Structure formats: structure tokens, C-alpha cells
Amino acid sequence: MYVVVMYGVAIAVVGVVALLADWETIRRNFLNTEVMAEMFPEVITIAARNTIVYTALSFGFGLVLALGLALMRLSSIGPFRAFAIGYIELFRGLPALITLIFVGFGIPIAFRWSIPGGTLGAGSLGLAIVAGAYMAETIRAGIEAVPRGQTEAARSIGMSKSRTMFTIILPQAFRIIIPPLTNELVLLIKDTSLFFVLGSTPGTKELTKFARDFMTGTRNATPLTVAAIVYLIITLPLTFLVRRLERSAARAR
Amino acid sequence: MTHAIEVRGLHKSFGSLEVLKGIDFHVDEGEVVCVIGPSGSGKSTLLRCINRLEDSTSGSILIEGEDITDPDADVDHLRTRIGMVFQQFNLFPHLTVLRNLTIGPTGVLKMDKKSAHQAAQAMLERVGLVDKVHEHPIRLSGGQQQRVAIARALCMQPDMMLFDEPTSALDPELVGEVLDVMRSLAKEGMTMMVVTHEISFASEVADRVVFMDDGVVVEEGPPSQLLFNPQTQRARQFLRQVSDR
């Protein structure tokens, strides 16, 4: 009985909204096919491409940085540990936007030197600095999840600490953390939208900036819908992949 | 003559818990020594101190005359001479059986790939697993995994082998195949120190049996004496409990 009532309420609400909504205005402003047509092919060849390139670079830098931080975090040398903890807490505690502005404008103002590569360089570095802090904790957890016996077995055949880490522990750790790292990648894809603060030329716009400028140019919100759809086309398969990886990892255990 | 392993006045504490309370002990070249005793008696800790997987608190451990507890000792190099077999096998799950066997020889001993490959093949033949060469460890039974682990240690051509309860994690029907490999190894004259609960294996294979309890060596002697006619009350009691199972 309760369920029937709830279904009834839901259908009624949807019906009222559908009747009262101004479908013509919505269609003209959010799903305008003429505006959509105008966006192609640049929305793909420039905007989506830039989003993917920025993400890949940030993720690549970030991963290298994270690996270094994770190893420092687990080091037996106190100052290394302290540095890693300080770094991780600092950049996880700040808005990514602040870090981006700092790298893009703070450093050039202070030292009269800007990061090479323009938007691409400064933006990717800024995001990598932030992503590195998050991924460092993920990698650390992965390393700690590898059983102690693995280290002992490797050391007992005479492997040095670093050889043990790179040939025995890290390959196993990365297998464990592929799902959370893929999640991190999805977050990064969305964070590249922050690149807008660094300014852009027609060739360096990523999806969000491209859509926003297009909206201003056409006085129409359809570009936002298109950008949203393109984001989902990129992120949904990845989140789907994460779910499958997590399920197969759970099975393997 | 220098002993293969010589332990002098070894103490080991975990925090305030003293696990080894002054151990004096040796293993000669070619000798097979089995260490028995109740759980918590410190026998595994002693074994793990010998290749410095645990740092001892005081005392010294000489491996063929070289002190492995010396802060300046080249521990990585000394460990290449000491094969170790673990209760939980600890094979590298991300590598094939072959790579498990060759990663030490190629990576640490700088042996060329081809000879390491051949040596691994020969070693697998010896433990009867040559058909598993390209499998991953997870596809093997516990007994097979432990035999691979023994082969992995032997591929380093060690001077001695340490066994830390090598059959305790195995299903009963798989114990025999592992003990067979160890038995043939003993026959070939390998220096072996075996922490074990397998009293019949100890009586058959050991040259000497050491009984530990509560962090000290209580009694040691040839198996015929220690296992069948123990001199101390504690050894008698332990052996009675074990044979009651």
C-alpha cells in the first residue's frame, strides 16, 4: 500500500512538472541543434582533446610525484617522512584552485619566471602537485597492503631494499590500487576545468572554458549541455571500469 | 674449524618482552639440526635472527665466521649464502614459477639469463615440478608452492638452508612431498637448520635436535637421545604432549 502511494506521488509530481514546464524555452536554450552544429568539430578536435591531454599530463606528473612522496612517507629517515606528511597534508587541505593560481601567477610574479609550456605547463604542474598528494596516500596504502612476507622473502635471497621495492612490492601494490587510481583519474578529468583561471587562447581551451565562451558568444546555454555530455562520454566508461576492477579484485581475494 | 652458524649469547626483546634469553648454539657444515619446542618458545625468532630478518638485541651470530650482527656487515651478501624457507611459502605471486627462481640469480648474483634459466629448470626437476615452470604460484597447491620456495632458495646456491616450520601451513596429505625434498637435500649434505613440529622427520633426518623453551635452549643432543630418552623434565613433558596428538 505504502509503495503504491509513493509511486502515485512520484508520477503526480513528474506529471505536474511536465505540464508546467516551458518545453519550448528549454529546448531552444539547452538543446538547440543549430548551436550544437556550430560547436563541431572544435568541441572534439580542440576542447575534448585538450581536456584529455591536460588530464594525461597531470596524471603522469602526479603519479611520479606521488610515488616519490609515498616512498618518502614510508622511509626510515625522519626528515623525509616529515616532508612527505607536510606536503600531503598541505595540498590536500588547500583548494586546487589556489594551487593553480599560485603556480600560474604567484611564481611568475615572485620570480619573474613562468613555468614553461604556458597554460599546459603551469596547469598540468599545478594539478599534478595536488593529485600527487592524493595519490601518494593511495600508493602508500597499496604498498602497505602487500604482505610483509613478500619483503622478507625478497630480502632473504639477498635483494637490497630498493630492488625489493621496485621488483617485488610495487608491482603488487599497483595491482591492488588500480581501482582507486582510476577514480583519481576521473577526478582529474573534471579538475582540468579549473584551467580557465590561467587564461587561454582559442587553441588551448578545454571543454568547460570552450563551452562557457561559446555560451557567451551565442547567448545560449546549449554548449554547457554538450560539454556535460562529452564529459560523461569520457568519465562514465572509466567509472564503469573501476566498478568491474573492484569486483574482480574482490573475487580474487 | 669455523662453524657454519655460530650463535653466541643471543638476546632478543620485542619491547619489554624478552623472547630470546641468551642463546648459545651452533650448526656445523653438512649438519642437519632440528629445533623443536612449544609455540612461543622463541625458535622461529632465533631462526629469523640468523639471517637478520630480525635484529637481535645483543650477542653475535657468525655465518662461516663473519658476524652478521655487525652494523658494518654486508647483510645482503651474507643472505645470498643462507637460503630461507617460510611457513607461508611467500612466493612472489606476480611472477611465474620460473621468474620466482631466476629473479635472485639474475638480479642479485648477476648471473646471465640463460644460465639462470637452465639452473632453475634443473632445480624444478629436482623438486619434481618441471611442468609448472610457466604457471603462476596461485595455481599451485600448498605443497607445490613450498617445493617451489625451496627451489627458489636453492637457486641462489646457498651454503646453508633455514626452514621456518615449512610444513605447518600445509594440509596433512601435502606434508610428505615437502619432507621428501628436504630429506633428499639432507642426504646430499646440505647444512640445514629446521624449526619443525614433525618429530618423526627430526628423528629420521636430524644429526642433532635442539629443544627450546621460554627463550633458552633447554636440551640438545642426537635424536635418539633427545627424542626418545630426554634428560630434562620440560623436554619430556613437551614430547609427551606432542605424541598425544
Side-chain angles (χ1 to χ4, degrees), chain B residues 119-130:
Chain B
Q121 202 84 26
M123 209 56 83
L124 282 177
E125 224 156 289
R126 210 169 130 176
V127 299
L129 289 171
V130 81

Side-chain angles (χ1 to χ4, degrees), chain A residues 202-238:
Chain A
T204 64
K205 289 177 187 174
E206 42 63 53
L207 270 171
T208 304
K209 175 70 173 161
F210 179 86
R212 195 174 156 215
D213 289 355
F214 222 95
M215 180 175 73
T216 318
T218 56
R219 319 285 301 151
N220 188 289
T222 302
L224 288 183
T225 313
V226 173
I229 291 168
V230 175
Y231 273 119
L232 288 174
I233 288 173
I234 301 172
T235 55
L236 283 182
L238 282 171

Side-chain angles (χ1 to χ4, degrees), chain B residues 170-232:
Chain B
L170 295 176
D171 291 335
E173 73 271 21
L174 302 177
V175 169
E177 61 189 71
V178 172
L179 292 183
D180 282 343
V181 170
M182 292 170 63
R183 208 173 277 130
S184 74
L185 201 56
K187 258 191 217 126
E188 287 161 34
M190 175 60 81
T191 307
M192 291 165 63
M193 176 173 168
V194 187
V195 170
T196 186
H197 293 297
E198 301 287 336
I199 301 296
S200 63
F201 173 80
S203 76
E204 177 197 349
V205 176
D207 297 308
R208 193 151 48 88
V209 180
V210 173
F211 172 70
M212 280 181 70
D213 191 13
D214 201 21
V216 294
V217 172
V218 177
E219 186 175 344
E220 59 180 306
S224 56
Q225 181 200 315
L226 195 141
L227 297 175
F228 300 107
N229 186 19
Q231 303 301 301
T232 56

Side-chain angles (χ1 to χ4, degrees), chain A residues 25 28-29 43 80 83 108 112 162 164 170 172 176 207 224 233 240:
Chain A
T25 306
R28 197 161 7 91
N29 280 287
V43 66
F80 283 1
F83 175 83
R112 309 196 175 286
S162 60
T164 300
L170 284 178
Q172 297 185 53
I176 298 170
L207 270 171
L224 288 183
I233 288 173
F240 178 72

